Amino acid sequence: QVRLVESGGGSVQAGGSLRLSCVVSGDIYSTYYMAWFRQPPGKEREGVAAIDTIGLTQYPDSVKGRFTISQDNAKDTLYLQMNSLKPEDTAMYYCAADRVNWLLGNRYKYWGQGTQVTVSS
């Protein structure tokens, strides 16, 4: 069973930065497509970054240039560097994994429990 555990969330003022981490266990990390999603209060979950098995990335316009997804295969860990944070980035952030490349689609098989990010103005 694949297990994903996120960390790194917290509270930050607008303009600040946070780096989220997601440790994957239970299978060979490098064989999975990975992504970060977020779900603001009362809204649907949306993809904010995706990375494939050779390191190609995808972002929606809302975070492009501010968020960077990366991975360390040696540590079985996925990262999300978030810079220039805005109050509208406030959400629960989740990492997701699958052997199918869903890109920013919401159909990944494995999900973490989430880590809260709160950005104050």
Side-chain angles (χ1 to χ4, degrees):
Q1 181 71 20
V2 175
R3 184 168 180 243
L4 287 69
V5 179
E6 304 98 332
S7 62
S11 297
V12 64
Q13 289 193 327
S17 298
L18 284 173
R19 188 176 82 153
L20 306 183
S21 299
C22 172
V23 178
V24 181
S25 61
D27 206 337
I28 302 172
Y29 174 85
S30 61
T31 64
Y32 282 82
Y33 299 92
M34 303 292 298
W36 287 97
F37 288 78
R38 68 185 180 188
Q39 187 166 20
K43 297 185 179 181
E44 293 187 356
R45 189 162 51 189
E46 62 172 347
V48 296
I51 188 166
D52 70 12
T53 55
I54 60 171
L56 296 178
T57 59
Q58 187 179 51
Y59 306 91
D61 289 343
S62 59
V63 307
K64 198 172 293 183
R66 300 189 298 122
F67 289 12
T68 303
I69 188 172
S70 62
Q71 57 193 358
D72 185 337
N73 288 350
K75 296 182 178 179
D76 294 345
T77 302
L78 179 74
Y79 302 101
L80 183 67
Q81 179 66 44
M82 304 185 295
N83 299 328
S84 302
L85 282 162
K86 306 175 181 180
E88 52 263 43
D89 294 319
T90 294
M92 185 70 79
Y93 282 72
Y94 301 89
C95 65
D98 203 328
R99 285 209 167 98
V100 177
N101 191 4
W102 299 110
L103 298 175
L104 296 175
N106 206 5
R107 297 180 65 182
Y108 285 78
K109 181 174 182 179
Y110 301 105
W111 294 84
Q113 82 289 347
T115 186
Q116 178 68 38
V117 172
T118 302
V119 184
S120 58
S121 57

